Amino acid sequence: MSYLLGIDLGTTYTAAAVLRTRGGEAVGEPEMVGLGAHGSEMPSVVLDGEDGSLLVGDAAERRAMVEPDRVAREFKRRIGDPTPVSLGTGALPAEELAATVVRHVVDTAAAREGGMPERIALTHPASWGGHKLELLRSALDPALEGLGAPQVEFLAEPQAAAVCYAAAERVEPGSTIAVYDLGGGTFDSAVVRKDAPGSGTGGFTLLGRPEGLEFLGGVDFDEVVFEHVRAGAGDAFAGLDESDPAVWAAVARLRRECREAKEGLSSDTEVSVPVWLGGAQTVVRLHRSEFEELIGPRIEDSVEALRRAVDSAGLDPSELSSVLLVGGSSRIPLVAQTVSERLDRPVAVDADPKNAIAKGAALAMLPRHAASWPAVEVPVQRAVPEESDVERTGPIETVALSFQDAPTERFAAVALLEPATRIAAAPVRPGFTGTSSYVTQDTGPQRGTDNRARWLVGAGGLAGALAIVAAVLLWPTAAVTLDGASARSIVPDTGAAPTTSAPPAPAAPAAPSTEPHQGATTNRATDPTKRPAAPAPAVIPPVAPAPAAPKAPTAPAAPAPVVKDPVKVPPKDDTSKEPTTPVDPCKPTDGSTPPASCTATPPAPAAGS
């Protein structure tokens, strides 16, 4: 199966995507090629081995830890510079180093897919001119010679990003999109316009003059974090031997920690960077607000470059459909915030900003028919066959089917039944008229023909609601009280007044009061002025009345002596008085005659005793 290969040669990382095709049509979606040991991308690093071989990617990164003088990084920035890049004992032009990376990517994709790609697209910054592109092409031709690979095509990075964005989102023809591409080492901005179907221009056209900053990207932000850590580590960097390979390895490890800390600030508000250099061990903290303050001026520079690109296209920011953010460094929260505030336009962040350009490069090479990929016209079957509504979808072949179409050679093996045969095969509902259009509503009984059941259900519901309302309004809320006669007939006569939970009434009857006693319930149906002789109404509690509690617990006392005349006897529970002296029967105090058993003459009764 043939395939298309899109390559995104970045300053710090390189990525590639393949799009399989069959008969000029895409099969599935673009897939990333596994270039790195732990992911789809690989470092844009080249190392010159002692044996004269060139190592690329992760292998060069590992060897660079112990042979730092033989490695070349960020050479994409040097393309066009006549000064070669120092590499070990020799030097190579930057474009040849870039061609070496492209050769490695083509070999890796060919080994995975089992053959050379049908077409290859290599992306480049939109600000590159013809001189840099010609230098790169002159280095690619000898690098790919003998592989049987096709000639490499060039595509501007903003165009590739826009194609990838249009593959996932609906972009109408004529829409203008501002692309903000902040990668690992360069910044590019451009304005593209979605072409009309069938224009044959590749889907998007660059408007105006692209703007960019060649020395602005993720590596510059890594350096900012590294300098912050260096300032906060104190004397950890003092006295280091720069010729010691162990020191080089420790510094390289620290730079990797700074890069991971920068990436971590995109999802966290604070990070910690461990510093292990020589005998010093410390930790430097960095807050997101500090990081944004450090890189804020550079982000402002990138937004100003984007505004210049919009102005060169003869547009006002309000005329932009959206602003597309691509590139790994565009995930920094400050980027989206600043772009949205300065341009006052909606910002679209690609779901996979690191790989969007590689996928877009592969999609941009897909052959187009009557429409510019990724949108072609596909008929949508409706209830009325004469309608010609269309749906915008991916690049699939247009096939119009209807029940009246005769079998073609392509579908010769499929037995198409006539409409009458299909209808007869299904049970026919009574009243079916045999129409060939789709039925969207059941043609059952018409409304209003039989509403008796509905009336019965409604009347029953209304009656139930009225019953509930009546129960709520008429349900008694006070305790039931009875008059005196009724109370006497219900409460048994125990020789004492009925006991209630209220305090006992005084011995003498008090004048009737119109205010209810605390704890008692007023009988509103009884008029005390018409029935003066009736006792106070008694409240019948819901449970049996409890006996009155004694005033104070006392020990049991002996029964009081029985006397003839009612005399005042101290209460049994009155312990405040002294006990009385026993009465001598031979010395009566009431003037009576002593009994005969008393032999002595009784003395005269004492006065006042």
Side-chain angles (χ1 to χ4, degrees):
M1 182 181 296
S2 59
Y3 66 96
L4 309 175
L5 177 62
I7 303 175
D8 176 21
L9 177 62
T11 303
T12 55
Y13 289 94
T14 297
V18 297
L19 179 63
R20 299 180 182 88
T21 60
R22 180 185 292 114
E25 299 291 343
V27 179
E29 299 293 331
E31 297 181 3
M32 300 302 300
V33 180
L35 301 177
H38 305 288
S40 59
E41 56 188 16
M42 72 173 187
S44 299
V45 179
V46 178
L47 184 136
D48 182 18
E50 295 182 355
D51 56 353
S53 62
L54 296 178
L55 299 180
V56 181
D58 290 327
E61 188 73 34
R62 287 191 296 268
R63 289 280 293 275
M65 300 289 291
V66 295
E67 300 180 45
D69 56 335
R70 291 181 171 272
V71 67
R73 307 175 186 269
E74 305 174 17
F75 42 81
K76 180 182 176 181
R77 289 178 168 180
R78 300 281 302 275
I79 294 180
D81 188 351
T83 304
V85 179
S86 176
L87 190 67
T89 57
L92 288 175
E95 55 270 16
E96 292 188 11
L97 295 176
T100 302
V101 175
V102 173
R103 167 66 184 265
H104 176 77
V105 173
V106 173
D107 289 340
T108 304
R112 167 183 166 173
E113 300 295 328
M116 284 292 146
E118 182 181 354
R119 298 174 65 183
I120 301 175
L122 178 64
T123 62
H124 62 85
S127 59
W128 277 15
H131 174 64
K132 292 185 177 181
L133 294 178
E134 186 62 30
L135 288 176
L136 185 57
R137 182 179 298 280
S138 62
L140 287 172
D141 292 340
L144 300 178
E145 186 178 4
L147 296 179
Q151 189 177 21
V152 177
E153 306 172 24
F154 293 124
L155 181 66
E157 293 172 356
Q159 287 179 298
V163 171
C164 182
Y165 173 69
E169 301 291 337
R170 182 188 296 271
V171 179
E172 300 296 336
S175 301
T176 55
I177 301 175
V179 181
Y180 180 99
D181 181 12
L182 184 59
T186 58
F187 167 74
D188 292 297
S189 63
V191 178
V192 296
R193 180 183 59 203
K194 180 69 167 62
D195 298 328
S199 60
T201 58
F204 288 87
T205 301
L206 282 171
L207 300 179
R209 182 183 66 259
E211 295 287 342
L213 301 173
E214 290 194 38
F215 295 93
L216 175 61
V219 292
D220 301 286
F221 301 150
D222 296 344
E223 188 66 24
V224 169
V225 177
F226 181 79
E227 293 298 331
H228 173 82
V229 172
R230 185 172 183 175
D235 298 334
F237 287 83
L240 295 178
D241 185 7
E242 297 182 0
S243 61
D244 187 359
V247 173
W248 279 89
V251 173
R253 182 171 58 250
L254 178 59
R255 288 187 175 275
R256 185 169 58 250
E257 294 286 348
C258 292
R259 183 179 68 249
E260 294 177 357
K262 177 204 66 177
E263 297 174 353
L265 287 176
S266 297
S267 57
D268 200 355
T269 58
E270 188 179 61
V271 293
S272 300
V273 181
V275 180
W276 290 20
L277 290 175
Q281 297 182 6
T282 183
V283 176
V284 179
R285 299 183 181 274
L286 178 61
H287 198 271
R288 180 188 292 179
S289 60
E290 298 176 307
F291 177 65
E292 292 178 348
E293 184 178 357
L294 294 173
I295 68 172
R298 305 305 307 273
I299 300 299
E300 292 288 348
D301 294 342
S302 66
V303 176
E304 288 300 324
L306 177 61
R307 289 188 66 94
R308 292 195 299 269
V310 175
D311 294 340
S312 68
L315 298 175
D316 188 79
S318 60
E319 300 180 69
L320 297 174
S321 302
S322 63
V323 180
L324 176 61
L325 305 184
V326 294
S329 299
S330 66
R331 294 182 295 180
I332 298 175
L334 181 62
V335 171
Q337 178 183 347
T338 305
V339 172
S340 179
E341 290 178 354
R342 298 296 183 269
L343 299 182
D344 194 21
R345 299 305 300 158
V347 174
V349 182
D350 196 277
D352 190 8
K354 284 187 175 182
N355 301 323
I357 295 178
K359 292 181 179 179
L363 291 171
M365 294 182 292
L366 189 67
R368 293 144 179 100
H369 298 287
S372 177
W373 205 96
V376 297
E377 297 183 356
V378 178
V380 176
Q381 190 172 9
R382 302 289 184 178
V384 182
E386 290 76 14
E387 296 184 4
S388 60
D389 294 346
V390 296
E391 178 186 9
R392 310 297 293 183
T393 181
I396 62 177
E397 185 175 357
T398 301
V399 180
L401 296 178
S402 64
F403 292 141
Q404 290 78 17
D405 291 342
T408 60
E409 295 181 359
R410 184 171 181 177
F411 300 96
V414 181
L416 298 180
L417 300 179
E418 294 298 328
T421 307
R422 288 197 306 274
I423 295 175
V428 180
R429 177 172 47 80
F432 181 70
T433 59
T435 177
S436 60
S437 61
Y438 290 99
V439 179
T440 59
Q441 183 176 348
D442 187 14
T443 58
Q446 299 298 322
R447 297 181 180 178
T449 56
D450 189 1
N451 294 327
R452 289 175 295 179
R454 300 178 182 177
W455 281 109
L456 290 176
V457 173
L462 181 60
L466 293 176
I468 294 175
V469 172
V472 172
L473 295 178
L474 303 179
W475 193 268
T477 57
V480 179
T481 58
L482 301 175
D483 54 8
S486 300
R488 284 193 299 271
S489 62
I490 295 176
V491 181
D493 187 8
T494 57
T499 305
T500 64
S501 61
S513 175
T514 59
E515 296 182 359
H517 194 277
Q518 183 178 3
T521 303
T522 304
N523 187 2
R524 290 174 292 184
T526 305
D527 189 357
T529 60
K530 297 181 180 181
R531 309 173 69 175
V539 179
I540 306 301
V543 295
K551 294 182 179 180
T554 57
V562 180
V563 295
K564 294 181 180 180
D565 296 334
V567 296
K568 295 183 179 180
V569 181
K572 294 183 289 182
D573 57 349
D574 189 3
T575 58
S576 61
K577 298 181 181 181
E578 297 292 335
T580 58
T581 304
V583 179
D584 188 0
C586 295
K587 297 179 179 181
T589 59
D590 54 357
S592 59
T593 304
S597 59
C598 298
T599 56
T601 303
S609 59

